[in-house]
Amino acid sequence: MKKIVLFLFALVFLMSCSDDKKAFNYRGLAFSLPTSQMVDSMLARGFVVDSAASDSGHTIVFANTAERYRVLVAFKDEKLQAVQERYLVSTNDSTRKLWQQLRDGLEKELDAWPDCPILKDDHKVANFDASDGIISVILENTYKPTLMVRYVPKAEKK
C-alpha cells in the first residue's frame, strides 16, 4: 500500500514539474528578444516602420495594410517594455463586437478568465494574467472609438 501511495505522490510531483510555462510573448515573439530582433521580426511579418509616429529613442510604431491594427513597441536600452495594438475601427458598434471577439479569443488561448475592473457599454477593460505579463483589452468609445490590446511584462523580482 505504501508503494502505491508513494508512486501516486511521485506521479503528481512529476506532472506538476513538467507543466512548462510558456514565456510571455507578443504573437509568438518573446519579450526577452532585444529590440533590434523584434524590429527585424515585425519587418519579416510584413509590417513597416511608421517613422513619423515613432520616437527613435523609446518607441517604434509599425503598420501593415493587411492588418486592422497598428503596433507600438516601447523599449528602453534594447529591452522591450510594452507592446500595444491599436485597432483601426470607425464605429462604436464595431469596437464593442471586436472587443468581445478579442476577449473571447484570449480567454480561450490562455484558458483563463479575465479580471474586468470596468465593464460598461462604452468603456470596458479585461486584464489577463499571462505567465510573466499582463494582457489588457481596452475599449473606450467616446467621440472617436478606441480599441487597444496591451502586452506588459511583469516587473522582475530582485
Side-chain angles (χ1 to χ4, degrees):
M1 185 66 174
K2 279 185 181 178
K3 289 181 181 179
I4 293 173
V5 171
L6 287 175
F7 174 74
L8 290 175
F9 278 124
L11 185 63
V12 169
F13 179 74
L14 286 174
M15 289 175 65
S16 66
C17 289
S18 66
D19 187 25
D20 293 331
K21 275 188 167 181
K22 291 166 66 175
F24 186 58
N25 67 77
Y26 168 71
R27 296 186 181 255
L29 300 174
F31 264 75
S32 59
L33 285 175
T35 305
S36 56
Q37 285 184 349
M38 175 67 130
V39 170
D40 291 343
S41 297
M42 293 297 287
L43 294 174
R45 291 179 176 197
F47 284 85
V48 294
V49 174
D50 182 350
S51 57
S54 298
D55 170 4
S56 61
H58 302 289
T59 60
I60 300 172
V61 178
F62 295 97
N64 183 341
T65 55
E67 299 293 344
R68 297 170 53 178
Y69 56 87
R70 296 168 58 91
V71 179
L72 180 138
V73 176
F75 62 94
K76 182 177 182 181
D77 301 328
E78 280 293 306
K79 183 171 169 56
L80 293 176
Q81 300 294 309
V83 175
Q84 177 177 290
E85 295 175 346
R86 185 176 188 104
Y87 283 79
L88 308 171
V89 287
S90 58
T91 67
N92 287 349
D93 288 338
S94 62
T95 56
R96 285 186 201 104
K97 184 177 178 182
L98 187 54
W99 182 89
Q100 191 65 48
Q101 290 171 348
L102 291 168
R103 180 196 172 279
D104 292 346
L106 283 168
E107 186 177 306
K108 191 173 190 176
E109 178 184 331
L110 299 171
D111 194 27
W113 288 93
D115 173 33
C116 296
I118 302 172
L119 203 53
K120 300 177 182 174
D121 282 345
D122 289 327
H123 190 183
K124 301 177 186 204
V125 176
N127 296 318
F128 291 89
D129 189 350
S131 66
D132 300 340
I134 302 291
I135 302 173
S136 300
V137 183
I138 304 163
L139 169 70
E140 294 175 347
N141 279 339
T142 54
Y143 296 108
K144 183 177 179 188
T146 303
L147 180 62
M148 296 176 285
V149 179
R150 188 175 298 143
Y151 297 74
V152 180
K154 290 179 183 173
E156 294 179 9
K157 296 178 183 172
K158 294 183 180 182

